[in-house]
Amino acid sequence: MSRERAKRAALPPAQENIEKLEKVVKQGNYYGAQQMFKSISARYVSSERYSEALDILKCGACLQLENGQVTCGSELALLFVETLVKGKVSYYEETLDHVRKIYEKFPRPSVPQNLDLTDDDDMQKLSEAIAAAKTRVECCSSFLKASIKWSAEFGAHRYGSPELHEMLADYMYSQSPEVDMVKVSFHFVRGRNLKKFASTIINFMGKCYPGEDDLAIARAILMYLSLGNLRDANKLMDEVEKEMQSKNLDFPLSELMQFVNYLLLTLQRDALPLFNMLRQSYKSSMERDPLFNELLDEVAKKFYGVQRKNPLQGMFGDIFKMMGDE
């Protein structure tokens, strides 16, 4: 028997180790359990028993997260994804389900209510809750972004699994103390749940500054179009209008919305001169968000083959690199 085969045979079934580690967690020894989950799973990885290593890491991540140990749980969750990559595990429904189960264990506590902002103790509680929320979002985002990258490499859509993008968009929106709707929209447009996206936009419109509600709709539509996805851009507009009507909410009537409606009609035809005329006519509306012109340059590239004059830089360059268009 070769040394490598002997090494593999020396390891017990993963379930034996999992049962021992569960007892350590139940005793409240989270740090000790963390080190054991990492070291024991590493032995299975080095023996190329990837399936068992994944079982151990999934169990560890879920247990730590269930017990509010977000940093420990997310560390094991990231090791789970790293092991998927090392083991060259293909993207399929069963593996996605394992990722989903870890994601569902990330806590979603509510922000403390009825606080007296003039009271030092209440302010301390609020400050701690905000800091904890930021940590949760950062940890969950790191895990899901790594999962998206794995899924894109091992069999999902070129932008990564739509389901994983939807999970990330939902967690970022529901748990971030300060919502970045650009990042939320970035992930929603790579998902398939238009109803959820529409509901999220409408919810955000009720929280944003007065007069800026149309920006969220326009940004989402332009993001779809920058990917060449005219179908879902139209569907999202229909979903937003339908849901707002059902809730007796007024759809924003602005020059920006007028531009978006004209743009959706224009892109159905080979009409580059009309596209350019629209951009010029609604220039002031485009200047309301610096991202709009960057997105429209991508729209021109996708629908009319117009090459960009300048490479994307800064925040916008990073966004489009994430989109996979650079």
Side-chain angles (χ1 to χ4, degrees):
M1 183 183 288
S2 69
R3 182 181 300 178
E4 191 60 38
R5 286 177 65 191
K7 189 176 177 183
R8 290 190 193 188
L11 289 171
Q15 189 58 37
E16 289 184 22
N17 281 310
I18 288 173
E19 288 170 1
K20 292 175 184 176
L21 291 167
E22 285 175 339
K23 291 177 182 177
V24 178
V25 173
K26 285 179 181 177
Q27 292 167 0
N29 185 4
Y30 303 120
Y31 177 77
Q34 184 75 1
Q35 302 315 307
M36 293 169 72
F37 273 117
K38 288 163 64 178
S39 62
I40 291 173
S41 64
R43 291 177 208 156
Y44 285 85
V45 170
S46 64
S47 297
E48 297 183 359
R49 288 168 63 172
Y50 296 110
S51 178
E52 290 171 286
L54 290 167
D55 287 342
I56 292 168
L57 290 167
K58 176 193 166 189
C59 173
C62 289
L63 283 172
Q64 294 283 36
L65 291 168
E66 283 173 1
N67 285 279
Q69 305 299 307
V70 175
T71 304
C72 287
S74 64
E75 182 184 19
L76 295 176
L78 279 170
L79 286 172
F80 178 89
V81 181
E82 286 178 18
T83 304
L84 288 175
V85 175
K86 283 180 183 175
K88 295 181 170 60
V89 178
S90 297
Y91 173 84
Y92 56 100
E93 188 59 37
E94 184 180 346
T95 315
L96 174 62
D97 192 51
H98 292 321
V99 174
R100 185 186 295 109
K101 284 177 179 174
I102 296 174
Y103 161 72
E104 289 172 349
K105 297 296 181 181
F106 274 88
R108 291 175 176 256
S110 56
V111 177
Q113 301 295 316
N114 303 319
L115 295 178
D116 181 357
L117 299 184
T118 62
D119 182 83
D120 289 344
D121 289 341
D122 279 1
M123 283 301 294
Q124 180 65 24
K125 287 178 186 176
L126 181 61
S127 177
E128 289 172 358
I130 290 172
K134 287 181 178 178
T135 299
R136 286 196 307 274
V137 172
E138 287 171 7
C139 288
C140 188
S141 295
S142 296
F143 164 58
L144 287 176
K145 284 176 183 176
S147 300
I148 289 167
K149 187 175 179 182
W150 156 76
S151 71
E153 186 176 350
F154 289 94
H157 189 276
R158 60 175 289 215
Y159 296 129
S161 163
E163 292 86 353
L164 293 174
H165 279 292
E166 288 163 12
M167 291 177 204
L168 181 49
D170 182 55
Y171 199 85
M172 290 172 70
Y173 184 75
S174 64
Q175 297 300 307
S176 297
E178 297 176 0
V179 174
D180 185 335
M181 201 60 190
V182 173
K183 291 181 179 178
V184 171
S185 298
F186 168 83
H187 291 289
F188 263 125
V189 298
R190 279 150 192 78
R192 297 188 184 124
N193 196 335
L194 288 158
K195 287 183 182 293
K196 179 73 174 178
F197 192 10
S199 295
T200 301
I201 289 172
I202 292 167
N203 182 274
F204 179 76
M205 288 166 66
K207 300 176 181 178
C208 65
Y209 291 111
E212 294 191 357
D213 49 355
D214 56 347
L215 292 175
I217 303 172
R219 191 184 297 120
I221 298 298
L222 291 177
M223 279 189 168
Y224 272 124
L225 296 175
S226 71
L227 296 175
N229 191 346
L230 179 60
R231 183 197 63 185
D232 285 345
N234 277 297
K235 284 185 177 179
L236 180 69
M237 182 67 90
D238 291 341
E239 283 292 339
V240 171
E241 289 178 347
K242 186 167 65 176
E243 186 168 334
M244 291 191 76
Q245 189 175 20
S246 70
K247 292 181 176 179
N248 294 319
L249 297 171
D250 294 328
F251 189 86
L253 300 175
S254 64
E255 284 194 359
L256 179 58
M257 285 293 92
Q258 202 173 53
F259 167 80
V260 169
N261 281 315
Y262 286 146
L263 179 63
L264 290 171
L265 292 171
T266 300
L267 294 177
Q268 294 176 23
R269 299 182 290 161
D270 184 12
L272 179 58
L274 181 55
F275 173 82
N276 290 331
M277 187 179 76
L278 275 175
R279 289 188 70 170
Q280 188 60 37
S281 298
Y282 289 90
K283 188 177 179 181
S284 60
S285 293
M286 296 304 95
E287 290 172 349
R288 289 178 58 194
D289 186 335
L291 184 56
F292 286 164
N293 278 312
E294 298 286 357
L295 290 168
L296 284 169
D297 284 347
E298 284 297 305
V299 174
K301 180 179 173 183
K302 280 286 190 296
F303 285 86
Y304 300 118
V306 178
Q307 295 303 309
R308 302 182 62 90
K309 293 180 181 178
N310 301 307
L312 290 161
Q313 297 177 349
M315 179 184 77
F316 308 125
D318 291 341
I319 288 171
F320 281 102
K321 282 175 186 174
M322 285 193 292
M323 288 181 181
D325 289 344
E326 283 294 288

